[in-house]
Amino acid sequence: MVVTPKFVPLTGYREYPADEMKRRAAKFRAELSRRRSVRQFAGRPVPREVVEECLRAAGSAPSGANMQPWHFVVVSDPAVKRRIREAAEKEEAKFYAERAPREWLEALAPLGTDEHKPFLETAPYLIVIFVQSYGVTPEGKKYKHYYASESVGIATGMLVAAVHNAGLVSLTHTPSPMGFLNEILERPPHERPFLMLVVGYPAEDARVPDIEKKGLAEIASFV
Ligand code: IYR
């Protein structure tokens, strides 16, 4: 089937004078630099509309051939959160005791993590992000997704930024392996759990690891 491309004017773009552009870039950088991954959450509820808007922001991400190969499951049901915590802690216990090579455990040491994941029950929302290896039409026909992992990675980054911008904290969490999420959340086999984003308010006494980000000279080169 040959589709003729259809174009519309670029109405959403805004150009800023150079000094305003610099100010905006620096302000956004400063805002994002305040973001920290948090592992201690308050139980306080978060308005669902906030999460919905953050998901719309994530859904605006660019993706390979605009296939949007993602699905977000927002978990707030305490019984489902408990099942996820139990399954995750079972895998994590094996990870810390047997599966993780020493080098990996050494790399994780500054974070102070272990197999206990109380935040999976405390936080008001667990957003489980799935990557779809292929799409399915309403008629049941399969079609290929391109750069699915890259696309979902971009959408996830935008979700992390949106959640921070809204005034909440998050934790990117990847219990390994994550297959149990398909079972608990009843997602089809062509959807692979990509990452879980734990979202909520930080606990009042939340503490974060004393770690630093690399500077520009270390992460970028201009040629
Ligand atoms: N999934 C484990 C281990 C872990 C792995 C990485 I890479 C981290 O950045 C943090 C933790 C856990 O969540 O404890």
Side-chain angles (χ1 to χ4, degrees), residues 98-117:
E98 309 158 16
R99 288 199 202 117
R102 193 156 49 89
E103 188 181 3
W104 195 345
L105 292 178
E106 280 168 13
L108 290 177
L111 305 182
T113 54
D114 60 25
E115 69 272 31
H116 303 291
K117 306 296 175 192

Side-chain angles (χ1 to χ4, degrees), residues 39 92 95-96 104 108 111 113-114 117 173-176:
R39 291 181 171 78
E92 296 287 52
F95 172 83
Y96 282 96
W104 195 345
L108 290 177
L111 305 182
T113 54
D114 60 25
K117 306 296 175 192
H173 181 47
T174 51
S176 168

